[in-house]
Each structure stands twice: as C-alpha cells, then as structure tokens.
Amino acid sequence: MEVTNCGALLSPLAIRGARLKNRIMSTGHDTTLPTAALVNDALIAYQEARARGGAGLIIVQVAGVHETARYTNHILMASSDECIPGYRRLAEAVHAYGTTIFGQLFHPGREITEAQGGLLAVAYAPSEVPNERYHVMPRPLSAPLIREIVSCYGDAARRLYEAGLDGVEIVASHGYLPAQFLSPRVNVRTDIYGGSLENRLRFTREVLADVRAKTSEDFVVGLRISGGEFDQQGITGDEALEAICALEKDIDYIHVVAGTSASSGGAVHIVPPMSIPNGYLAPFSATVKARVSIPVFVTGRINQPQDANAIISSGRADVCGMTRALICDPQMPKKVIERRLEDIRACIACNQACIGHFHKGAPISCIQHPVTGRELIYGNIPRARERKRVMVVGGGPAGMKAAVVAAERGHNVTLFEASGRLGGQALLAQLLPDRMEFGGLVTNLERELAIAQVRVMRNTPVDRSVIEEFAPDAIVVATGARPYHPPLEAGGALRIVDAWDVLAGKANVAGSIVVADWRCDWIGIGMAVHFARNGNRVQLAVNGTMPGQTIPLYVRDQSNAELRRLGVRIIPYARLYGYDDATVYLQDTVNDDPIILDEVDAVVLCTGHRSVSELADSLEDYPGEVHVIGDSLAPRTAEEAIYDGLRVAAAI
C-alpha cells in the first residue's frame, strides 16, 4: 500500500536551484549547542546525524542578522564574515549525505528573552507596543535603523550563500519582527511601514528583495509564517493567508507553523505538546496550497511518517516538518526507505529534553534518545573489547536502555523484571489524562530490546542469591522507586491514598479531593484533572509557585489552562502537614501560616518517590562489577533514567 511505503513522503521535490531527495524536513530549532554565536563541532555533529539518517531537508536554527537580534545568550549570529567558515563546514557535512540545507535569518523584534550579563536588553519593534510574555516595552524602530536591518538580512544571506548553503528561510513566524510589522495590533506606525497591508508588508518585501539582490538566481528564499497565532491580540489565520498570497511572487516556498512567542497561550504552539492533535495544522496548509502555486511546507505535531505521507499524498502540503521525530530517531527517514516503520523510535511529544532543555539554557537532547545533543560523546559508541555476561535487574526505562546499549556493544545481556510487564513507572505515566502517548516510550524500548536480542526474564524477582547463582561479569541495578509517604500529623481517619494506587485502580475515592503535590510536575496536575473531569471538587495544593513548576513551559502552560477550565482551586506555597476526619492542614512554605481545608473526603499524595535500594544495599560488599542507575540510584525522571542506562552501558 502507498501509505505503508510512504511513496509521497519519499518523492523528490525541486525548489528553484535545490532538489530535496525526500519531503522529510528538520525545521529550524534552537539547540543551545553553538558557542561564541558561531557554528561549532557539536552543532555540526548534531545536524550530520540527521543528514546521515536520510533527512531530505535540514533548516539550521535561527541566525541573528543584526546586533539587536541577540534574543538569547546562545544564539547563532550571521552578522559578520566570521560565521562563514563554520557554516561552510556544516554545509559540507550535510551535503555529503545528499541532504539539502537552508539557514534561518532572524530578528526577534520585541521578543527578547535575555541579554548579556543578566541585564535587560533594549528591544526594538515597529511600535511601542509591549510584549506580554517577557514584559518588554520595545523602542520603536527609526526609519534609518529599519533600512540598516533590512540590509543586514541581505548581508547575512550572502554569507550563508558563500558558505555553500542551498537557501535561507526568513522567519516571519511566532510574533517575531516581520510578524510584528504585519500585525495591525502590534504595528501602529503612521509612516510607509504602517497602516495598509501593503505598508505593513513593506519591511518583509524589502528584506526579501535585499536577500535576492545579494545572493544568486539559484539560491532558495523561503518564508516561515504562523497560520494564526492562537492569541486574541495575534495575527489571525485570515490575516496570515492574505499576507501569504500577497508575498507569493517574492518567495520560493511558504512554511506554515502556528502560535506566537508574545503570549503564554500562543507560545504553546511553538512546540505543541502531546495534548494537541497530530498534524493539526494540515487543514490550514491545505487552504494555503489551494491559493498559491509555490510549494507549501507544514509543521506541527507530525511525528509519524504515515501521517506525513497522508498529508502530502492528499495534497495538503508538499513538505512536512518532522523535527522532534528526527530528534528522537535521526535514522527515521532511512527506516522509512527500508520499510522498517516498526523499528522507528517514535516521538511522544513530551517536550522534556528538546525544547525543555532550551528553556533551561542546556543543550538539546531527547529522553528516549540521549545521544541527541551528545553526538561527540556517544555518537559512535565502540564495541566492547571483552564480551561480558551482563545482568540487568529491573525492566523500567533505565534497565531497558542499559540492556539495549550493552547488547548493541556485543555483551551477552539478560534483563530480569519482577513483574509480568516491562516499563516501570512509564506504565502509570501513560494513564494520566492527556499523557497516553507517553506509553510509546515503553513500546519503543521493547522494540529496541527485540532488535538487540536481549534475553528478558519476566516475573523473576532477584536477590543476591539469584545473582550469585547467575554469576554475571557485570550487574546493573535498576530496581526503580516506590511512592514516598511523608510523615503527617494524624488526628482522624481521613482517606489518604497515593497517585500510584489511583492510577492502578487500587484506590477509588470521590467527593471533595485534596491533591497534595510536592513534585510540581505532571503527576499532581494529572490527578487534579482526572478527579475534576469525573465531577469531583478538587483542590490542588502545590509545594511551589504553581502547578507544573518543574516541567517544560509549554506543557505547564497548557496544563494550567485546563486546570482553570475545570475549576480546580490551586493553592500555591503549600506544604502538607496533617489531617483529621474531614479537615486537611497545610502550612504556607513562605510565612508558615496555617492553611485549613474543611469538608474533605480524601487526600491524594503526589509527594515524590523513594528508591527501591534493598538489592543495591545488599551488594555493597559484592566483589564483582556493580552499577546502580535510574530511580534506584536517586528518584528523578524518565530522562535521567534512560540517560543513566546509556552512560553506564557505554562504559561496561
């Protein structure tokens, strides 16, 4: 069948002087890998891995065109000829695999997140209209500065052209400078750059013309734009469509995304989490495709090749952005070509180590594929010099990954799991509201175990005597964690249960529920949403500033919106202290004042985990090689567990 073969997705596409070998695109996304604002070895290794895996088009992350474009401390800059050698090495590395490469040209306008030295930056925009998300009041651009920035776009394009890139993409999406000029609510100028649509598009037209004039006839020039910013003050889909049609003759392709950096709600769509439907922007790209004759690219939660193929074969777009799919599995295109779709490590849109790392100022990675962003360290793990008999105890994410990597290196690996199912806490995490896709992590790891031919022993508890009988050369202890129940002052018989028992169906509670959330992560939010959707009165007591304080911003913001829609009462800065028959006692973590909640039927504990360390403790005097990983080392998240598995197995 065509969908199985993904023939449309794998077909080539000619755009001006470039030829894409397939329609799989890695879109421009910040990796936090560059240093000194220049392309470095880490970024080259990262993009080379995706080219080696068969991507048809790689669009390199944004490059600032002018000194006022430094929106973070780790941005790439294309504002001087110093950038050319690095871009040249990058282009050569990508071209070696037949992959086309474009660069993104960027100015954030008022969307400035940070500046050098911790000082607030001076932000420039078309008009003195404040940014809501970063609380920036910009300085209006003068006409001379506009002309200077326009010229800098062209100069930056010339540098990337000289470096050997195949084209550039002008970033007019997500509320950045060209979008600010386009928006009649952000651009309130009264000169030739404001007012009518023609005037509001003048800046973008001048940029495109300058880029054309300073490159070549064959050089590709595209435009990325949000097909609706999902914000009351943002550009609408109709406004974006009108602009696209007006600019069609000035560009070689249009790249449709969604959202805006200017508001918390709009920013969710920059990297939409798993609660947002797959391929949700394809209807808008189809509308665009019906109105223009140039190729249309679309990006937005397209993480499976079958979905991308369906979008392209139905004529809704010509190229699909599959960035997180390629972060999770750089070999995805090659597996599609070889018809090994079941071997693809599918992205679960958790946002934890991709955009989540960016928001922490850390290099990009992936919770399922921690080699991402660490290609220089783990991109070519050597075979083991000595084949060992390796015993992995615990079939959660940490143990599964350790077993896979150890087996791939040539070791004889057996994985022991005390229960009948592999997956550990991920089996519970997928049961949280809007988190079902998280279960894909288990499916992916089980497939990796099968490919690596790891022997799996289910329903097999392990203690020291079992280890001594098995006589391994190396032991990996990945026994996980169990819920932590804090000591509480108990003056009555109020029902106290933990999230694990609720998700496993072992505890059925209803009525007036207090969710005690110490971790400020997915679990407390998930429990609150679960009970509220089932018609219960829910109060979420958070030991932090807000629900989801420790999780990726876009997931957090989307989840907080749902909590408010459901009418969940949120109590921040709250420490669970005690209870009696129908009252819960909390303590304000800032001023120690009591917070008393009456008429409560049950408390659901989301108060963290404690390591299952009995086996590790029993092996303290064991004479052999012992490694403790994942939550059995220290309770953390799936990201650290899987990374531990990679790190330790690479060293055995």
Side-chain angles (χ1 to χ4, degrees):
M1 292 177 61
E2 184 69 7
V3 172
T4 302
N5 297 342
C6 295
L9 183 63
L10 296 178
S11 63
L13 177 68
I15 304 178
R16 194 172 278 265
R19 182 182 183 275
L20 280 56
K21 63 181 181 180
N22 60 53
R23 313 296 183 94
I24 300 171
M25 168 176 59
S26 175
T27 66
H29 58 286
D30 202 321
T31 62
T32 324
L33 290 170
T35 50
L38 299 171
V39 172
N40 59 4
D41 290 345
L43 182 61
I44 292 171
Y46 172 83
Q47 298 292 13
E48 185 177 11
R50 276 116 201 105
R52 186 186 304 115
L57 172 62
I58 288 174
I59 302 181
V60 187
Q61 66 193 73
V62 296
V65 300
H66 187 268
E67 280 304 301
T68 57
R70 293 181 182 268
Y71 82 123
T72 70
N73 288 322
H74 43 78
I75 188 175
L76 271 182
M77 293 297 290
S79 53
S80 78
D81 287 356
E82 188 181 7
C83 75
I84 295 174
Y87 271 109
R88 182 175 290 125
R89 290 197 300 125
L90 175 58
E92 290 170 352
V94 169
H95 283 155
Y97 299 95
T99 297
T100 302
I101 182 170
F102 300 162
Q104 280 189 329
L105 300 184
F106 176 77
H107 196 295
R110 64 179 185 168
E111 300 299 312
I112 300 285
T113 63
E114 60 185 348
Q116 298 291 334
L119 301 173
L120 294 177
V122 178
Y124 292 87
S127 304
E128 196 175 30
V129 176
N131 159 279
E132 176 182 282
R133 187 163 166 234
Y134 301 122
H135 305 284
V136 169
M137 178 60 80
R139 180 177 179 82
L141 283 159
S142 65
L145 186 52
I146 290 174
R147 290 192 292 271
E148 181 180 320
I149 291 173
V150 166
S151 181
C152 285
Y153 271 96
D155 292 341
R158 185 262 305 166
R159 294 180 183 107
L160 271 55
Y161 165 70
E162 290 184 6
L165 275 70
D166 303 296
V168 291
E169 181 175 89
I170 309 302
V171 179
S173 60
H174 299 129
Y176 298 123
L177 186 58
Q180 291 162 34
F181 272 100
L182 172 61
S183 172
R185 288 161 292 283
V186 178
N187 179 358
V188 294
R189 299 175 73 99
T190 57
D191 62 3
I192 61 171
Y193 292 98
S196 67
L197 175 64
E198 184 64 25
N199 280 357
R200 287 183 281 113
L201 285 176
R202 189 180 304 277
F203 173 80
T204 302
R205 285 192 194 280
E206 290 179 350
V207 164
L208 293 169
D210 205 67
V211 167
R212 287 277 190 219
K214 293 175 178 174
T215 55
S216 75
E217 181 62 28
D218 290 338
F219 197 64
V220 177
V221 181
L223 186 79
R224 185 169 78 164
I225 190 168
S226 293
E229 293 186 344
F230 288 85
D231 180 71
Q232 186 177 6
Q233 299 299 315
I235 294 170
T236 67
D238 288 343
E239 288 170 336
L241 182 60
E242 187 179 22
I244 290 166
C245 293
L247 293 170
E248 177 185 0
K249 292 182 172 55
D250 300 313
I251 53 180
D252 297 317
Y253 72 86
I254 188 71
H255 181 184
V256 174
V257 291
T260 175
S261 174
S263 70
S264 295
V268 166
H269 297 274
I270 296 176
V271 187
M274 68 177 74
S275 58
I276 291 177
N278 295 87
Y280 72 113
L281 297 180
F284 183 80
S285 69
T287 300
V288 174
K289 187 123 176 65
R291 295 284 299 275
V292 301
S293 58
I294 56 176
V296 176
F297 299 2
V298 65
T299 297
R301 280 281 278 140
I302 306 171
N303 65 344
Q304 293 280 13
Q306 302 95 317
D307 294 337
N309 189 74
I311 289 169
I312 293 167
S313 62
S314 63
R316 288 175 286 170
D318 298 289
V319 174
C320 285
M322 305 186 71
T323 306
R324 282 178 289 175
L326 290 162
I327 292 171
C328 187
D329 192 345
Q331 291 288 309
M332 180 267 289
K334 183 178 180 182
K335 292 175 182 177
V336 176
I337 293 167
E338 296 172 356
R339 301 188 184 183
R340 295 191 293 122
L341 272 65
E342 70 277 7
D343 294 347
I344 293 171
R345 185 188 305 106
C347 167
I348 58 175
C350 67
N351 282 4
Q352 192 169 337
C354 48
I355 190 66
H357 275 206
F358 166 73
H359 287 141
K360 294 178 180 178
I364 195 170
S365 193
C366 175
I367 71 167
Q368 298 193 76
H369 186 56
V371 174
T372 286
R374 301 181 178 97
E375 286 82 6
L376 294 177
I377 303 171
Y378 296 113
N380 187 23
I381 302 174
R383 298 276 293 182
R385 287 179 291 180
E386 175 190 354
R387 190 169 192 254
K388 294 182 177 181
R389 183 175 165 89
V390 178
M391 182 179 191
V392 179
V393 185
M400 295 170 81
K401 192 64 176 182
V404 168
V405 175
E408 288 173 343
R409 296 188 59 232
H411 294 303
N412 179 2
V413 183
T414 304
L415 172 65
F416 293 77
E417 167 54 38
S419 74
R421 295 182 66 189
L422 299 177
Q425 291 179 53
L427 298 176
L428 294 173
Q430 69 179 340
L431 300 177
L432 290 167
D434 305 319
R435 299 283 291 173
M436 182 177 65
E437 211 164 332
F438 201 86
L441 180 151
V442 180
T443 304
N444 293 334
L445 282 170
E446 286 183 319
R447 182 61 185 169
E448 291 180 36
L449 287 169
I451 294 171
Q453 298 183 332
V454 173
R455 183 185 180 203
V456 178
M457 304 290 290
R458 295 176 174 82
N459 297 307
T460 309
V462 172
D463 58 18
R464 180 158 175 164
S465 66
V466 174
I467 291 172
E468 290 174 344
E469 182 180 351
F470 191 77
D473 299 308
I475 305 162
V476 179
V477 179
T479 47
R482 60 173 67 95
Y484 172 69
H485 288 211
L488 301 173
E489 293 290 332
L494 184 65
R495 187 90 184 274
I496 308 293
V497 301
D498 62 56
W500 286 36
D501 284 343
V502 172
L503 291 170
K506 297 178 181 179
N508 296 312
V509 294
S512 176
I513 310 293
V514 172
V515 177
D517 181 9
W518 170 76
R519 291 184 58 157
C520 303
D521 65 0
W522 300 269
I523 302 174
I525 290 171
M527 285 292 94
V529 170
H530 165 76
F531 285 110
R533 286 181 179 172
N534 286 315
N536 298 281
R537 174 176 174 257
V538 181
Q539 300 179 86
L540 177 57
V542 183
N543 196 317
T545 59
M546 71 183 76
Q549 180 180 327
T550 65
I551 63 179
L553 299 188
Y554 303 150
V555 180
R556 179 200 72 194
D557 294 342
Q558 185 84 346
S559 299
N560 272 279
E562 180 66 5
L563 290 172
R564 286 193 291 278
R565 275 193 291 265
L566 292 169
V568 173
R569 180 192 177 195
I570 297 168
I571 308 167
Y573 300 105
R575 176 190 299 123
L576 181 60
Y577 180 81
Y579 59 92
D580 58 26
D581 288 332
T583 303
V584 174
Y585 301 94
L586 307 169
Q587 190 175 32
D588 190 298
T589 59
V590 178
N591 61 22
D592 290 337
D593 283 352
I595 305 170
I596 301 173
L597 309 179
D598 293 317
E599 299 181 1
V600 176
D601 295 307
V603 174
V604 178
L605 299 178
C606 304
T607 46
H609 301 134
R610 59 192 308 174
S611 296
V612 175
S613 57
E614 290 83 358
L615 180 61
D617 293 343
S618 75
L619 297 174
E620 286 185 355
D621 62 345
Y622 186 79
E625 182 181 349
V626 179
H627 305 275
V628 183
I629 65 173
D631 277 5
S632 54
L633 177 62
R636 290 159 291 160
T637 75
E639 178 185 357
E640 290 81 18
I642 293 173
Y643 173 70
D644 279 0
L646 167 67
R647 174 182 56 81
V648 166
I652 293 175

